[in-house]
Amino acid sequence: ISSRQILFVLSGPNERLNSVGRRTKTPRQPFIFQGAMRAHLSGRLTSIWKDPKDRIVVLTIGSHQLVLRLTGRRGGLWLCTQDRVVAAYDGPAPPALPAIAPLDVPLVSPRFQPNPDEDWDRAAARYFTETEVADRLRQRRVQVSRRLRTDINRNRRLIRNLEQDFNRAADAPKYRRQADALAATLHTIKRGSTTAIAPDLEDYDRTWTIALDPNKPASHTLQRLYKKAGRMERRADQILDRLGQVEDHLERLSSALKQVGQADSAELGQVTALLPKSGSRAAPTVSTPWVTWTGPNGQEVWVGRNATGNRRLTFQKARGNDWWMHLRERPGAHIVIRMRREQTPSLELLLAVGQIASIHGKIAFGSSVDVQYTRVKNVRSIPGDAGGKVRLSDERVLRITRERESLTGWFTDAALAHGFSAHTH
């Protein structure tokens, strides 16, 4: 494998070790473990040993070893020299490797089998590449579905507003009838009059009382009424045209939403073309005042970046039926869980979001903390408090212990992958 790289994926549904042929992108600021590997690893990869009874692999490079464990709580990656730990990634870092209980359950059958023309390593690379492509397609379907629902709701609100505008514009005939009635009696109105009473030309039993400007001739009011009627008639025509366009677009969006669950990449591209190109929530920028976390089933959680972000998130961005979470009696981020009307988050989701709260609250691994939560509509700001304190009603509390492996499958808008590679000579 001298011409290939070794890929470690330490968390998520596809954790593994296998070789890859294409060099991975190096981050602008390598994290500490990468720096330790660059400082200590040199020479050739001389051996790879795998525990036949567990997901443990030891790679020997020069005088150092990389010990990989994909084993849950005691899992991680360690850079060692003899029995001393030099650096650890995603696992405990004592002076020596932590003890691990022997596997006492039978091994399940492999998830994949090599084809006749490939070994296990290349079979793993093929299998996980296909799996990750399928996962990315599923995540993209979830994101596009969410954007479609958002745009469908926006267009429904637009239709309601257009219908209200059209109802207001429908008064144009009334102003034209007033103008016609005033024109028929214009010669009888004395200068300086404040009102004019004119019979309707279409309904002789009806009369119009029309306010006049005593400082101007009645013809000024007549012109104003005709102009207003004309503007409203043109506005009504424009609204009808726009209403037809929005209704057609809404129909296309609704049809796309029914099909997006089975769409391939090309079809998703066509669906995306129906959506607004600016202001998309599916691709938040660093400048947004909150961080977006996305769960394995497409759940969406927003976390305020700072005091301003907390206020905007809770009192402007969130809806009343969303759920709100915060570390109890501690400073921390406001967290909003997107929910449909009258929907309640599951205990599994609440525990995961509690872990997110502990991460943003910088709670140490193994430490416990109380997390309070309620619906957004039960959160009230405290007048005059610039620090972001709030008052809650119907508060509920969870006790959370921060754990390493509890957010498998969750990712933020700033980091969509959890793998890195080690290049060997």
Side-chain angles (χ1 to χ4, degrees):
I1 59 175
S2 59
S3 62
R4 299 174 67 81
Q5 288 185 303
I6 297 175
L7 174 71
F8 303 87
V9 179
L10 303 183
S11 62
N14 297 313
E15 55 183 10
R16 73 213 186 256
L17 177 150
N18 63 271
S19 68
V20 292
R22 185 166 56 182
R23 185 179 183 88
T24 55
K25 187 178 295 185
T26 302
R28 292 182 179 179
Q29 294 182 342
F31 45 87
I32 295 174
F33 192 81
Q34 285 179 312
M37 291 175 64
R38 291 179 179 181
H40 293 88
L41 291 184
S42 62
R44 298 179 62 84
L45 173 64
T46 57
S47 69
I48 300 179
W49 175 83
K50 179 189 178 301
D51 187 334
K53 295 183 179 181
D54 212 336
R55 297 197 299 173
I56 299 175
V57 179
V58 179
L59 296 88
T60 302
I61 304 173
S63 60
H64 289 74
Q65 291 181 326
L66 281 175
V67 181
L68 173 67
R69 294 177 178 174
L70 302 176
T71 54
R73 289 178 179 268
R74 293 293 179 175
L77 179 64
W78 291 267
L79 173 62
C80 303
T81 174
Q82 297 179 352
D83 293 331
R84 184 174 65 88
V85 174
V86 177
Y89 180 81
D90 202 41
L97 287 173
I100 186 171
L103 190 67
D104 56 359
V105 295
L107 292 174
V108 297
S109 59
R111 285 173 284 180
F112 58 89
Q113 292 285 347
N115 292 327
D117 59 343
E118 63 184 1
D119 56 20
W120 278 98
D121 176 63
R122 294 181 184 272
R126 172 183 53 79
Y127 170 81
F128 284 109
T129 297
E130 294 171 353
T131 301
E132 289 176 339
V133 168
D135 286 346
R136 286 194 293 270
L137 179 60
R138 178 186 60 81
Q139 292 172 7
R140 190 180 175 201
R141 286 171 178 166
V142 170
Q143 293 172 346
V144 172
S145 296
R146 184 166 60 244
R147 292 183 61 194
L148 278 170
R149 291 188 181 93
T150 298
D151 206 42
I152 285 173
N153 291 333
R154 184 184 67 82
N155 278 272
R156 285 173 177 167
R157 291 193 299 270
L158 178 57
I159 286 175
R160 289 196 296 269
N161 293 336
L162 287 171
E163 289 173 343
Q164 292 173 1
D165 290 344
F166 180 76
N167 290 336
R168 286 191 289 268
D171 286 338
K174 180 185 74 173
Y175 291 107
R176 187 168 293 280
R177 288 174 66 176
Q178 289 181 2
D180 291 341
L182 181 62
T185 59
L186 192 63
H187 63 283
T188 66
I189 300 173
K190 296 180 179 181
R191 189 176 183 87
S193 300
T194 57
T195 58
I197 299 176
D200 190 280
L201 301 184
E202 298 179 19
D203 183 357
Y204 294 109
D205 294 331
R206 180 175 186 178
T207 58
W208 296 100
T209 301
I210 303 169
L212 302 175
D213 186 343
N215 299 318
K216 295 181 180 180
S219 59
H220 172 77
T221 302
L222 177 65
Q223 293 173 2
R224 181 174 57 81
L225 287 172
Y226 276 128
K227 287 181 180 179
K228 186 172 184 178
R231 285 197 305 270
M232 295 180 76
E233 288 168 348
R234 291 191 296 272
R235 177 62 177 157
D237 291 339
Q238 294 170 354
I239 291 173
L240 284 176
D241 290 341
R242 178 62 174 148
L243 194 57
Q245 295 170 3
V246 176
E247 288 174 341
D248 289 344
H249 186 60
L250 180 59
E251 185 177 350
R252 289 194 294 270
L253 291 173
S254 300
S255 176
L257 183 61
K258 295 177 182 178
Q259 302 172 10
V260 73
Q262 303 298 324
D264 57 25
S265 294
E267 291 168 337
L268 288 175
Q270 295 173 358
V271 172
T272 304
L274 297 174
L275 298 167
K277 292 183 173 58
S278 60
S280 171
R281 294 177 182 174
T285 62
V286 176
S287 61
T288 52
W290 49 80
V291 179
T292 301
W293 285 73
T294 304
N297 296 319
Q299 308 98 327
E300 190 170 278
V301 174
W302 294 323
V303 184
R305 294 182 184 271
N306 47 41
T308 300
N310 286 341
R311 287 193 296 271
R312 289 187 59 188
L313 175 58
T314 300
F315 301 112
Q316 296 180 12
K317 177 73 170 175
R319 301 171 301 189
N321 287 298
D322 294 337
W323 284 75
W324 182 91
M325 184 173 280
H326 191 275
L327 296 181
R328 195 166 189 260
E329 297 180 352
R330 288 173 177 258
H334 292 199
I335 300 178
V336 171
I337 308 171
R338 291 298 307 276
M339 282 285 138
R340 297 190 188 96
R341 184 183 298 274
E342 302 306 326
Q343 185 181 10
T344 302
S346 64
L347 178 59
E348 180 183 7
L349 177 57
L350 288 171
L351 291 173
V353 180
Q355 292 291 329
I356 294 174
S358 68
I359 290 173
H360 287 269
K362 297 180 172 55
I363 304 301
F365 286 113
S367 298
S368 297
V369 66
D370 286 335
V371 180
Q372 57 189 166
Y373 64 100
T374 186
R375 287 193 183 274
V376 169
K377 63 185 178 183
N378 299 325
V379 183
R380 295 288 183 271
S381 61
I382 299 178
D385 189 301
K389 292 183 179 179
V390 296
R391 185 182 295 109
L392 305 182
S393 59
D394 194 21
E395 175 191 10
R396 310 174 194 184
V397 178
L398 277 177
R399 186 71 172 172
I400 299 292
T401 300
R402 187 176 173 191
E403 300 175 347
R404 294 182 183 275
E405 68 280 0
S406 56
L407 287 177
T408 298
W410 286 83
F411 60 89
T412 68
D413 49 13
L416 303 181
H418 298 282
F420 70 94
S421 62
H423 185 64
T424 58
H425 304 286

